[in-house]
Amino acid sequence: MAQEYFDFTNDLIFRWVMEREENCLAILRAILPDLKITAVKRRENEHPVNYLAFDDERGVRFDAIIEDDQERFYDVEMQVANQPGLGKRVRYYQAQIDQETLKKGEDYDALRESYVIFFCAFDPCGQDRRLYQFHYYEDNDRQLRLSTNSYVILINALGTKGQITPALAAVLDVMNRRRDNANPLAVRLVKEIDGYNRDKKRRRALMNLKMRLKDEWRLGLSEGFDQGRAEGKAEGRDETMLSLIHTLQMQGQTKKQIVETLALMQKSSLAEAQRYYDQLTEAASGGEH
C-alpha cells in the first residue's frame, strides 16, 4: 500500500516550505512583482514550536510572517477548507500582524505597510479569478480610497481567469499536485516537498498532526452536534457538518465515505445521512446541480 503523500496545502508542509527565506522571497515576488522585493527575513513567532514533537502540535500557528527590505510585512496563510467567515479571519490576521510588528511604545503612525495573503484551495469569491485584491474604498465613490497601507490578497488555486505571473502559476500547479511545470520555482518546491515526505522525523510529525486533528474534529463535531440538538441550533450544526464535508473532500474521501461519517456522527441511518449530505451540499452551492 502506497504511503499517503502530504502536499503543499498541508499545514506543516506549508510551514516548512515558508521557513526558507529563499522560498518566501520567490513566492512574494511571484505574487507582487511590482514591489521589486530584493530581500526578506522570516520573523519567528514569539513562542517557537517544536514541530517534530507530538505534544506541541496542539494550538500551532501555521502562519508565515515575513519582512522585506523596505520594512513591509506579509502574513501568508494556507486555507484548505472553505469555511464560513473568511472575511473575519482576514480581519483577525490583519490585527495580528499589526500587533506583532508595531514596536512597543510606537504610535499607530509607525504601522508598516502590510499584506495579508491567503492561498485558497477553493474559490473564495466565486468569480473564477486566480487572484483577488482588496482595499478600503468609499462606498459611493470608488475613486476615493482610504490609505491604511494594508492590503488583502486572496489567491484561488482553482481559478482560470486573470493575469498572474508564470511563477505564481507554478505555485498554484504545486498546490494542485501538477508535477509537469518546468518553472524553476515549481521544480524546487516539488523537490522540497518530496524530501519532507521521505524524511522519517518529519513524516512522523505529519502523521502525528493528522491523527491529532482527526481526534479534535471528532470531539468538536460530536460536542457541536449534541449542543446544537440540545439547544435547537440547527444552523450551527449545519455549518459544523458542512465544514466537516469540505475537509473530508479535500482529504480525497469519496461521497460514500463522507456519508458514512455523517451517519456515525449523527447516529442516524445511511439513508438519513445521505439526505442530509445532499441537503447541505445543495444549499452550499446555491441549489445548482
Side-chain angles (χ1 to χ4, degrees), residues 16-27:
W16 290 332
V17 167
M18 296 302 289
E19 281 178 349
R20 296 174 62 92
E21 291 181 3
E22 62 181 306
N23 292 337
C24 292
L25 176 60
I27 289 172

Side-chain angles (χ1 to χ4, degrees), residues 56-71:
D56 287 333
E57 300 299 346
R58 184 182 297 272
V60 169
R61 289 166 46 202
F62 294 110
D63 55 352
I65 296 182
I66 306 156
E67 181 181 3
D68 72 6
D69 53 314
Q70 300 297 316
E71 293 190 334

